[in-house]
């Protein structure tokens, strides 16, 4: 089981960029282009890791600490996420609180790094980032509360293992509402359409991407890899909550979950291709919907 | 107990010496600060011993005051509050020796030293007193000495106004406490704490305590004095007031809870409701502030809200026989008392450094201070992360415990019982998210980027006495973050005395909570190690490559000026706009009308909604309706003597009849 307990982490570390590749490829195909190879995100990271760096004269050590803390906090959060049939590397009462707050720490550090540049664009992105995630946080924790109440466990690995067909059959409304809330939180926290457009060419309209304008080289690689891990983390929770399609042992379940992740990535790509971004003023309302959904999920 | 008496005497000596040597500047610093530091060190020894589980001690000296006695008792609860009082006061005294120097030319420095000694002593007696008369006298001394400290810069109109608000609010609270203690002592004819035994109407007593002590602690809507008084005081006094003085309100509430017998569920519900409104409104109002110290003061309201949430969750758990919920809730609340003392004192001292170096507290006039004041900046960062409840620092540990209690309660209590738990979970999450927003704003705008004004450009780090205390406090934040589990385990005797649960049950609950806290701390340690390794790896990798410096990428614009940076009010604007229903921010914008506009202005100001929409109209209407009594007040002594004579006469006649 030693190999098994490391498996969720290893899979995440290895395949998170691939998920980004799948999303990008889906969008290209829908747009009628051939698109980049699925492995392009890995090559991008490789290239960035071997570059030098340019730092702004305005910045201080905070700017250099930002990407490091961002990546470390996401790596640590991933050790708490189970995947497929395998429990997470570490699991204890209240571990999902730690997941939420590790992500808050990551956000804290990137926001400060953005403010360190003194750029008004990056300040703007930072401001939006803290606004939207402050509203996403109650939805995230209430969703966890709904899952905890439903499964009567307060640790992520046991909660996700306890979600079975019979649990779904018994309380499908709760699980589906939680899924919907988590999905909105995922979109907001990961800078996806309809909250944010990671590929826009206008800095004024960006959130996450505009915060990291000044990072370059290895720093930017850490930011990009961290973003991929964060997407993976949320998607893994969502796949864990979704109805379990598997039969058989943990390995089979892992394979099914992996397929689920890729389907999820394709679905994200399809959503991004078929939807426009919301106006920024509408985003808090979307997040409010997430809070209401998760509150309903708890109440049911 | 001898050590504590000596420590009280040392505070007294420090106070007297400050008055005697008022004209000698060096003696003032020596004796004024020396009294507090020596007294605190002396008192810390027994306080820490009892807090860690030594036998409670008491001391009783007969007193001529009716119903009163000089009765001190050091038990686990007093000791737990006494430790931060002594610690923070000693550090504030060290800081004050340097901070007050700036006022030497214009102000007499004897009063602040005198009153700081008195304040320290009175806070110590408040948590030690075991007799209601002694308690109330110490309580009043505490209020008055802090009033004189708040009004130190009394040449400013705003400071006098703040002091006045504080005085009124203090006495409003004390009035409720008077009634409370009279009712408590009525049945037994004794005002000694040990002999209170209220049989009936405990609910009313709870409400009296809630209002009386809640005013001191700063529960919404009784918090209105807090954001006025704390910024007005000198920074080391703000630190003492925000970090430990308002906690005496929490102490009082907990102490009264131990007298009232079995706790009822609705007390917990009430405290959760108060905690939610204090927490959310506190952090929202903080977010809307432009003045750094005012922002910090509102964060005290927020943190008191978090403490109230912990106590509320604990009480609900206790009333439903959920031992773990009760134990973890109280443990979180108590630990947050200690944690908030550490990081709030730290932040106020650093805010003092900023005000000292730049002569402004206006966030939008600062910027780029991290390069000019590296020590202040680094410690402020620790405080900001800790108060936002981020791992691996102490703020996360206490919030984690409250979350843990609420999640456990949400799972094990039925649909009805889990309502306060779920409210606490979502409230804490919102508060946490908003606190991150608020402190990225405070740290980011003040310390990062480029200076936004002349005064920030020429800022300099103050000398060691003003920076070292912040480092001590930052180390404390990190230590509790990394070794929180042992602190949690040591809370056993305290929690069983407050909740009345069996020590074994409490120890079991604490062990379970400490187990999780230990894992959290392990994560913290790994995080620090990994961050260090990763930074090292990057440095190594970059050593062989080209690393260049350039201007900030401003989307093609190569000469951005400091004034083009994002400002604090713009940073907070999306959130303040989302919550404008609660905040009622007033905005003044002179629009751009001509083709070639010369100048446009924008101001925004957020008043305290309770102050402007509740207390101000209330007090105005009281003034109006009571106006007919004005003719009684003519300001002539003879007339007042006449009033006294008439009153006496009426009383005599009444007695005869």
């Amino acid at each position: 089981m030693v190999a098994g307990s490391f498996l969720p982490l290893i899979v995440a570390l290895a395949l998170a960029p691939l998920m980004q590749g799948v999303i990008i490829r889906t969008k290209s195909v829908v747009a009628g282009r051939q698109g980049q190879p699925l492995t392009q995100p890995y090559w991008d990271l490789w290239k960035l890791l071997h570059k030098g760096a340019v730092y702004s004269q305005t910045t201080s050590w905070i700017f250099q600490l930002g990407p490091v803390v961002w990546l470390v906090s996401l790596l640590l959060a991933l050790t708490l996420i189970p995947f497929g049939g395998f429990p997470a590397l570490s699991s204890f009462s209240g571990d999902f609180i730690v997941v939420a707050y590790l992500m808050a720490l990551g956000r804290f550090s990137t926001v400060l790094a953005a403010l360190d540049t003194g750029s008004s664009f990056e300040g703007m992105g930072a401001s939006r980032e803290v606004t939207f995630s402050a509203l996403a946080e109650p939805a995230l924790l209430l969703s966890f509360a709904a899952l905890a109440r439903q499964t009567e466990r307060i640790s992520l690995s046991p909660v996700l293992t306890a979600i079975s067909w019979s649990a779904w059959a018994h309380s499908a409304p709760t699980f589906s509402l939680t899924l919907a809330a988590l999905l909105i939180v995922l979109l907001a926290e990961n800078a996806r359409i309809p909250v944010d457009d990671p590929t826009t060419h206008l800095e004024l309209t960006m959130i996450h991407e505009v915060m990291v304008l000044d990072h370059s080289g290895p720093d930017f690689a850490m930011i990009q890899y961290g973003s991929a891990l964060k997407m993976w983390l949320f998607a893994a929770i969502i796949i864990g909550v979704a109805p379990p399609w598997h039969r058989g042992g943990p390995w089979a379940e892992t394979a099914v979950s992996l397929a689920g992740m890729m389907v999820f990535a394709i679905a994200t790509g399809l959503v991004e291709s078929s939807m426009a971004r919301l106006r920024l003023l509408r985003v808090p309302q979307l997040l409010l919907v997430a809070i209401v959904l998760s509150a309903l999920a708890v109440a049911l | 107990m001898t050590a504590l008496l000596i420590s009280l005497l040392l505070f007294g000596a420090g106070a007297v010496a400050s008055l005697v040597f008022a004209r000698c500047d060096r003696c003032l610093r020596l004796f004024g600060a020396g009294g507090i530091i020596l007294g605190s060190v002396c008192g810390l020894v027994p306080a820490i011993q009892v807090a860690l589980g030594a036998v409670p001690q008491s001391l009783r000296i007969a007193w001529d005051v009716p119903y009163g006695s000089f009765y001190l008792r050091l038990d686990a609860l007093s000791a737990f509050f006494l430790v931060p009082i002594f610690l923070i006061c000693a550090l504030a005294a060290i800081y004050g020796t340097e901070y007050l120097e700036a006022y030497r030319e214009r102000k007499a420095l004897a009063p602040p030293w005198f009153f700081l000694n008195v304040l320290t002593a009175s806070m110590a007696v408040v948590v030690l007193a075991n007799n209601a008369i002694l308690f109330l006298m110490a309580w009043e001394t505490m209020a008055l000495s802090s009033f004189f400290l708040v009004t130190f810069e009394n040449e400013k109109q705003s400071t006098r106004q703040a002091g006045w608000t504080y005085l009124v609010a203090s006495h409003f609270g004390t009035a409720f406490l008077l009634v409370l203690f009279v009712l408590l002592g009525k049945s037994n004819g004794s005002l000694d704490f040990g002999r209170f035994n209220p049989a009936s109407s405990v609910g009313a007593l709870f409400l009296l305590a809630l209002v009386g002590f809640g005013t001191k602690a700063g529960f919404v809507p009784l918090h209105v004095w807090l954001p006025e008084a704390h910024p007005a005081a000198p920074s080391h006094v703000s630190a003492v007031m925000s970090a430990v003085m308002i906690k005496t309100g929490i102490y009082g509430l907990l102490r009264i809870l131990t007298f009232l017998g079995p706790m009822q569920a609705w007390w917990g519900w009430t405290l959760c409701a108060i905690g939610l409104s204090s927490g959310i409104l506190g952090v929202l109002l903080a977010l809307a502030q432009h003045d750094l110290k005012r922002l910090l003061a509102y964060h005290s309201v927020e943190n008191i809200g978090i403490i109230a949430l912990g106590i509320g969750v604990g009480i609900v758990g206790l009333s439903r026989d959920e031992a773990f919920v009760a134990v973890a809730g109280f443990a979180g609340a108590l630990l947050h008392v200690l944690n908030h003392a550490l990081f709030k004192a730290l932040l106020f001292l650093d805010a003092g450094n900023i005000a000292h170096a730049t002569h402004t507290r206006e966030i939008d006039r600062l910027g780029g201070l991290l390069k000019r004041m590296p020590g202040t900046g680094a410690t402020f960062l620790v405080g900001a992360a800790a108060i936002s409840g981020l791992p691996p620092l102490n703020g996360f540990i206490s919030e984690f415990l409250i979350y843990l209690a609420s999640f456990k309660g949400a799972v094990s209590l039925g649909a009805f019982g889990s309502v306060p738990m779920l409210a606490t979970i979502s409230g804490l999450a919102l508060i946490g998210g908003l606190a991150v927003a608020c402190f990225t704003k405070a740290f980011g705008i003040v310390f990062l980027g480029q200076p936004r004004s002349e005064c920030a450009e020429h800022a300099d780090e103050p000398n060691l006495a003003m920076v070292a205390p912040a480092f001590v406090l930052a180390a404390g934040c990190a230590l509790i973050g990394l070794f929180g589990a042992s602190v949690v385990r040591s809370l056993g005797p305290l929690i069983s005395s407050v909740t009345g649960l069996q020590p074994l049950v409490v120890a079991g609950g604490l062990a379970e909570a400490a187990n999780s806290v230990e894992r959290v701390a392990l994560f913290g340690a790994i995080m620090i190690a990994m961050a260090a390794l990763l930074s090292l790896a990057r440095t190594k990798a970059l050593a062989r490559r080209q690393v260049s410096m350039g201007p900030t990428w401003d989307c093609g614009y190569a000469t951005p000026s400091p004034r083009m940076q994002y400002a604090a009010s713009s940073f907070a604007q999306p959130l303040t706009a989302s919550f404008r229903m609660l905040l009622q921010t007033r905005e003044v914008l002179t629009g751009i009308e001509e083709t070639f506009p010369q100048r446009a202005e924008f101001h925004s100001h957020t008043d305290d909604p309770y102050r402007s929409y509740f207390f101000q109209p209330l007090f105005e209407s009281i003034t109006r309706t009571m106006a007919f009594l004005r003719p009684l007040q003519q300001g002539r002594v003879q007339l007042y003597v006449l009033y006294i004579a008439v009153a006496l006469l009426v009383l005599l006649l009444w007695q005869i009849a």
Side-chain angles (χ1 to χ4, degrees), chain B residues 45 82 135 167 173 193 253 310 322 327 363 382 493 536 554 594 649:
Chain B
V45 178
L82 210 48
F135 179 89
L167 200 65
F193 280 2
L253 192 61
E322 284 288 341
V327 170
I363 298 175
V382 172
L536 203 68
D554 232 0
E594 304 137 77
L649 200 65

Side-chain angles (χ1 to χ4, degrees), chain A residues 91-117:
Chain A
S91 157
F92 51 91
S93 302
D95 51 7
F96 37 68
I97 308 163
V98 180
V99 171
Y101 274 74
L102 279 170
M103 279 190 285
L105 175 69
R107 188 193 319 137
F108 186 80
S109 63
T110 42
V111 164
L112 286 186
L115 288 172
D116 201 12
T117 62

